[in-house]
């Protein structure tokens, strides 16, 4: 006779109640509201940049829906316009998004259930989603709440880009400097990170890498600077681990 406990072990977990699912969505909506205040207007800037670069408005929706890579999307607009070789585009994407390899080490993907949920959560792992879902307050979040947060972040971004592209089609003039919006956002994020951690060597190291890349490889400054900075961080980490092992 099969024991009652064995039957329970074979039974799949009960699906969440609708009230629980709605609670996760409302919580994710609240968690993502501050991020949305930045992503939506930045998406508008991206959409207008797409239109003013000569592409049709719907390319903004395509970029933000199927690529969804933030800073890389701004770079891709320029790369697409000059018909950059696919290998160079792939290398640029690897260098710009290489940090996501390290995100995977601490992102709580194990809480997300289902193949589709895990696949989408991996696809939608952005800087904003990572920062929100790995904070101290997010340790009790369910997988559904994390996925809802990622869905809402993409909705803010894609919605803003589509709205910006549509507005850009009716504006009779071009707005110069919109592509600087992303740079401004990352400057603000960098300043906030510095104020929180007071880590002076890391921004100094980043500045040195950027200056070296600008002087030696002015045409490929961004990917070279990212590569140098990543290599420098790995070297610093290796030296620190050896120092700890000897102590």
């Amino acid at each position: 006779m099969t024991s009652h406990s064995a039957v329970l072990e074979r039974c799949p977990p009960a699906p969440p109640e609708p009230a629980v699912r709605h609670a996760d969505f409302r919580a994710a909506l609240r968690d993502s509201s501050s991020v949305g205040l930045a992503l939506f207007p930045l998406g508008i800037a991206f959409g207008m940049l797409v239109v003013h670069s000569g592409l049709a408005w719907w390319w903004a929706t395509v970029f933000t829906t199927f690529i969804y890579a933030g800073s890389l999307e701004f770079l891709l607009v320029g790369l697409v316009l000059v018909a950059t070789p696919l290998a160079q585009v792939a290398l640029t994407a690897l260098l710009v998004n290489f940090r996501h390899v390290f995100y995977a080490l601490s992102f709580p993907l194990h809480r997300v259930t289902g193949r589709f949920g895990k696949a989408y959560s991996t696809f939608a792992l952005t800087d904003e989603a990572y920062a929100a879902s790995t904070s101290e307050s997010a340790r009790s979040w369910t997988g559904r709440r994390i996925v809802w947060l990622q869905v809402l972040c993409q909705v803010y971004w894609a919605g803003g880009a589509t709205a910006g592209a549509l507005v850009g089609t009716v504006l009779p003039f071009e707005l110069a400097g919109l592509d600087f919006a992303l740079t401004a956002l990352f400057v603000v994020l960098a300043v906030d990170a510095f104020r929180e951690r007071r880590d002076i060597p890391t921004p100094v190291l980043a500045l040195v890498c950027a200056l070296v890349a600008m002087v030696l490889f002015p045409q490929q400054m961004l990917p070279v600077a990212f590569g140098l900075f990543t290599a420098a961080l790995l070297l610093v980490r290796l030296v620190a681990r050896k120092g700890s092992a000897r102590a």
Side-chain angles (χ1 to χ4, degrees):
M1 179 181 295
T2 305
S3 65
H4 180 65
S5 59
V7 173
L8 290 178
E9 288 178 357
R10 290 201 298 268
C11 290
E17 297 293 335
V20 176
R21 294 198 296 267
H22 294 164
D24 286 331
F25 174 76
R26 288 194 298 270
L29 187 63
R30 182 177 61 252
D31 300 330
S32 64
S33 58
S34 58
V35 176
L37 291 177
L39 282 181
F40 190 81
L42 186 60
I44 292 176
F46 175 72
M48 297 183 75
L49 175 67
V50 169
V51 173
H52 291 162
S53 297
L55 298 174
W57 70 268
W58 48 267
W59 275 111
T61 307
V62 171
F63 271 67
T64 53
T65 300
F66 297 103
I67 299 177
Y68 190 39
S71 55
L72 180 62
E73 293 175 55
F74 279 85
L75 291 175
L76 278 179
V77 173
L79 296 177
V80 169
L81 290 176
V82 298
T84 304
L86 188 58
Q88 187 173 345
V89 173
L91 178 61
T92 302
L94 174 64
L95 294 176
V96 171
N97 289 328
F98 189 74
R99 65 191 183 281
H100 288 216
V101 174
F102 302 100
Y103 286 176
L105 299 177
S106 53
F107 181 71
L109 185 63
H110 59 281
R111 296 187 214 159
V112 180
T113 58
R115 292 182 180 178
F116 178 78
K118 287 183 179 294
Y120 178 77
S121 191
T122 302
F123 164 74
L125 180 54
T126 61
D127 299 322
E128 297 80 8
Y130 175 81
S133 59
T134 57
S135 63
E136 186 71 20
S137 60
R139 292 189 173 184
S140 60
W141 288 10
T142 65
R144 291 187 303 276
R145 184 169 172 176
I146 294 172
V147 173
W148 272 124
L149 172 83
Q150 294 179 283
V151 170
L152 289 170
C153 286
Q154 188 172 12
V155 168
Y156 301 144
W157 174 244
T162 303
L166 291 173
V167 171
T169 59
V170 298
L171 285 181
F173 53 88
E174 295 186 0
L175 297 178
L178 283 177
D179 54 341
F180 189 74
L182 186 63
T183 304
L185 173 62
F186 279 107
V187 169
V188 172
L189 292 176
V191 172
D192 285 343
F194 175 76
R195 293 175 61 184
E196 180 180 347
R197 301 182 181 181
R198 299 294 179 183
D199 180 13
I200 297 178
T202 301
V204 170
L205 186 61
L207 178 62
V208 170
C209 292
L211 292 175
V212 170
M214 183 179 66
V215 173
L216 299 181
F217 304 95
Q219 301 300 323
Q220 302 292 336
M221 175 188 169
L222 188 61
V224 172
F226 275 126
L228 289 176
F229 187 53
T230 301
L233 288 179
L234 292 174
L235 181 61
V236 170
R237 177 66 175 172
L238 181 62
V239 172
R241 291 186 63 178
K242 286 187 176 179
S244 300
R246 292 175 181 173

